Amino acid sequence: MPPTSPAPLTVGFDLDMTLLDTRPGIRATYLALSAETGTFIDADLVVTRLGPPLVDEIRNWFPEDEVARATDRYRELYRDHAFAPTVALPGAHAAVEAVRAHGGRVAVITGKYEPNARLHLEHAELVADTVIGDLWAETKGDALREHGASVYVGDHLGDIRGARHADAIAVCVPTGPYSARELREAGADVVLADLTGFPDWLAQHLAEC
């Protein structure tokens, strides 16, 4: 039999606090939702625990019969308040470009509402081959597996769970709510100080494959 060619490189990236610092925009959106609904929301607290599904956070502030409506309204307000103050985290553009330099594909797999995730990437001038939203932990792993991603880059313990679920390498950066030590203890395969170290890590990883 002729030798089989290796699978093409696909690297998955989380969005919030991995590629983009979305905290200012998320904070602004929650403040707008609070002002509009008259419901107190501690926006400064909210932005310290980004990662889990939006509906989980909304439930902390609204009664269950208002959660669906508040979630929909948050997503609408997001477009007016969140994109302008959001910035790419250090090394984000270089990390995406490094994947492409090795002939790979970039898949952004995020818990964020997918249409807003796409608009975020467009605003930040980050180009992904695939964008899949509304996923968390193991469901991120399902998407990673579906798209053949061998590496997943994130900042949250849920991202590690997703990578594990897909048998992908969990590369983490402590730019979100968890420290480097916490990420290692949770099972991250690689912890980088930030994404500026990702191109060198990727080159070394591919050389060893």
Side-chain angles (χ1 to χ4, degrees):
M1 291 180 59
T4 57
S5 58
L9 171 68
T10 299
V11 175
F13 289 91
D14 176 48
L15 185 67
D16 292 288
M17 303 313 301
T18 299
L19 289 173
L20 301 178
D21 185 350
T22 52
R23 290 172 299 184
I26 289 172
R27 181 181 183 277
T29 304
Y30 273 108
L31 290 176
L33 181 63
S34 177
E36 182 175 288
T37 62
T39 300
F40 172 73
I41 300 172
D42 187 341
D44 292 317
L45 174 62
V46 169
V47 297
T48 67
R49 56 190 188 195
L50 302 181
L54 170 63
V55 69
D56 291 358
E57 186 61 57
I58 293 289
R59 282 195 174 103
N60 291 323
W61 311 105
F62 291 87
E64 190 60 35
D65 62 349
E66 296 179 20
V67 165
R69 182 174 59 183
T71 299
D72 289 343
R73 185 57 180 148
Y74 172 92
R75 287 170 170 166
E76 293 169 353
L77 290 168
Y78 198 91
R79 299 188 177 201
D80 296 325
H81 296 277
F83 301 131
T86 292
V87 296
L89 283 162
H93 288 88
V96 168
E97 290 162 7
V99 176
R100 293 229 165 76
H102 290 284
R105 300 179 73 254
V106 172
V108 172
I109 298 174
T110 174
K112 190 172 293 299
Y113 180 54
E114 188 173 309
N116 286 347
R118 291 180 181 277
L119 289 170
H120 256 313
L121 292 168
E122 181 180 338
H123 186 270
E125 298 183 341
L126 285 164
V127 180
D129 299 284
T130 301
V131 181
I132 308 168
D134 299 295
L135 300 178
W136 166 242
E138 285 77 12
T139 59
K140 287 187 173 186
D142 292 336
L144 290 165
R145 191 181 298 278
E146 178 183 351
H147 290 275
S150 58
V151 176
Y152 187 52
V153 186
D155 67 281
H156 200 283
L157 306 192
D159 298 329
I160 298 172
R161 287 165 54 190
R164 286 277 171 269
H165 189 68
D167 295 323
I169 297 171
V171 176
C172 287
V173 284
T175 45
Y178 293 97
S179 68
R181 178 184 59 80
E182 289 170 318
L183 293 167
R184 290 190 190 96
E185 290 177 352
D189 297 298
V190 178
V191 178
L192 305 172
D194 56 35
L195 288 179
T196 60
F198 182 79
D200 286 345
W201 175 83
L202 182 63
Q204 181 178 352
H205 167 66
L206 293 175
E208 293 171 353
C209 288

